[in-house]
């Protein structure tokens, strides 16, 4: 039973510890993705990832509607179309890579033609990126970390990941701003050129009409 005398001590926790506990409780979670793959269709999942990020994913065939044994084919491509993982006639597997290009990474799943029956294939995908894909057990063994030290190490990794994401967003914002400024400049020059052409064409029309009326002795 907790004594009343311990309550004031609990109320005097340092703010840094409170922030640490909140950060750990709201850390990145990896939710599984469930795909219902039809007999003749393809289902894909994608994620926009910046460069130099670790991606780790496990996939497994969970069930088939008609109870038949099913196999699937998997293909993972980079934003530039490079093949990162390709397997056929499998019921489970894993792919892992470090991104070299920033953009949308696409993983597509489809049912093999060798699968019997006509039911849908249910596939479970555990997709992890960045800090969530790190093997913290190996880190703890290598650096001999335990308890709070390991949690602090995880928090440090989360902060670094957030910082990298902010830098990536900043660079993307700079690229978009540069593109917008370039587009605005081109539109401005096009508008000036169009106005100049209209003025020249109007002047030529006035000159032509004036010559025409002078030849006809109307003016």
């Amino acid at each position: 039973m907790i004594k009343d005398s311990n309550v004031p001590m609990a109320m005097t926790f340092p703010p840094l510890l409170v922030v640490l506990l909140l950060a750990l409780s709201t850390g990145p979670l990896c939710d599984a993705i469930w795909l219902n793959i039809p007999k003749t269709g393809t289902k894909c999942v994608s994620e926009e990832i910046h460069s130099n990020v670790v991606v780790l994913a496990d996939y497994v065939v969970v069930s088939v509607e008609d109870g038949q044994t099913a196999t699937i084919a998997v293909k993972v491509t980079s934003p530039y179309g490079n093949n990162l993982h390709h397997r056929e006639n499998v019921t489970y597997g894993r792919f892992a890579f470090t991104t070299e290009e920033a953009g949308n990474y696409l993983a597509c799943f489809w049912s093999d033609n060798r699968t019997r029956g006509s039911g849908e294939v249910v596939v479970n995908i555990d997709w992890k990126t960045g800090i969530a894909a790190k093997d913290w057990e190996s880190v703890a063994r290598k650096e001999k970390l335990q308890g709070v030290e390991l949690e602090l190490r995880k928090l440090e990794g989360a902060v670094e990941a957030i910082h990298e994401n902010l830098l990536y967003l900043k660079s993307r914002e700079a690229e978009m701003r540069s593109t917008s400024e370039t587009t605005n400049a081109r539109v401005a020059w096009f508008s000036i050129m169009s106005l100049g052409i209209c003025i020249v064409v109007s002047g030529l029309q006035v000159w032509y009409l004036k010559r025409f009326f002078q030849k006809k002795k109307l003016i």
Side-chain angles (χ1 to χ4, degrees):
M1 181 177 180
I2 300 176
K3 297 180 180 180
D4 294 339
S5 59
N6 292 334
V7 175
M9 295 179 61
M11 298 295 292
T12 59
F13 281 162
L16 179 59
L17 182 58
V18 176
V19 173
L20 173 61
L21 294 175
L22 289 175
L24 293 177
S25 62
T26 58
L29 299 177
C30 299
D31 295 330
I33 302 172
W34 296 82
L35 293 181
N36 293 329
I37 305 175
K39 173 67 176 179
T40 58
T42 301
K43 289 290 185 71
C44 298
V45 294
S46 66
E47 184 175 357
E48 185 174 353
I49 312 173
H50 57 84
S51 59
N52 198 28
V53 174
V54 177
V55 178
L56 175 65
D58 295 285
Y59 55 90
V60 59
V61 175
V62 178
S63 63
V64 186
E65 271 192 357
D66 55 11
Q68 299 291 331
T69 302
T71 58
I72 59 173
V74 186
K75 186 176 183 180
V76 183
T77 55
S78 70
Y80 294 160
N82 298 323
N83 189 10
L84 303 175
H85 178 80
H86 188 197
R87 294 290 185 274
E88 295 183 357
N89 193 25
V90 295
T91 57
Y92 65 92
R94 165 181 287 189
F95 56 86
F97 55 88
T98 301
T99 59
E100 298 180 356
E101 311 155 6
N104 279 320
Y105 284 78
L106 187 67
C108 291
F109 301 80
W110 64 92
S111 178
D112 277 342
N113 294 330
R114 290 180 288 273
T115 302
R116 296 180 179 180
S118 58
E120 290 185 340
V121 180
V122 181
V123 179
N124 174 262
I125 309 167
D126 185 14
W127 183 292
K128 303 177 183 178
T129 60
I131 193 70
K134 197 166 186 177
D135 187 359
W136 289 108
E137 294 182 0
S138 299
V139 173
R141 289 194 299 268
K142 183 178 180 180
E143 301 183 8
K144 298 180 180 180
L145 301 176
Q146 294 180 354
V148 177
E149 293 179 346
L150 179 59
E151 298 302 326
L152 287 173
R153 185 68 178 85
K154 291 181 180 180
L155 180 60
E156 181 184 359
V159 171
E160 291 177 354
I162 293 173
H163 182 255
E164 292 176 358
N165 287 333
L166 290 176
L167 292 178
Y168 172 69
L169 293 175
K170 183 178 179 180
S171 65
R172 287 294 302 272
E173 189 272 337
E175 292 177 1
M176 294 178 64
R177 184 176 64 251
S178 177
T179 302
S180 178
E181 291 175 353
T182 302
T183 303
N184 291 337
R186 291 178 178 176
V187 170
W189 280 110
F190 180 78
S191 300
I192 294 173
M193 184 177 63
S194 300
L195 180 61
I197 293 175
C198 291
I199 293 174
V200 171
V201 171
S202 299
L204 290 175
Q205 288 179 341
V206 172
W207 176 80
Y208 175 79
L209 292 174
K210 184 178 180 180
R211 290 285 304 272
F212 176 78
F213 289 132
Q214 285 177 348
K215 288 183 179 180
K216 296 295 183 179
K217 295 181 180 180
L218 298 176
I219 56 174

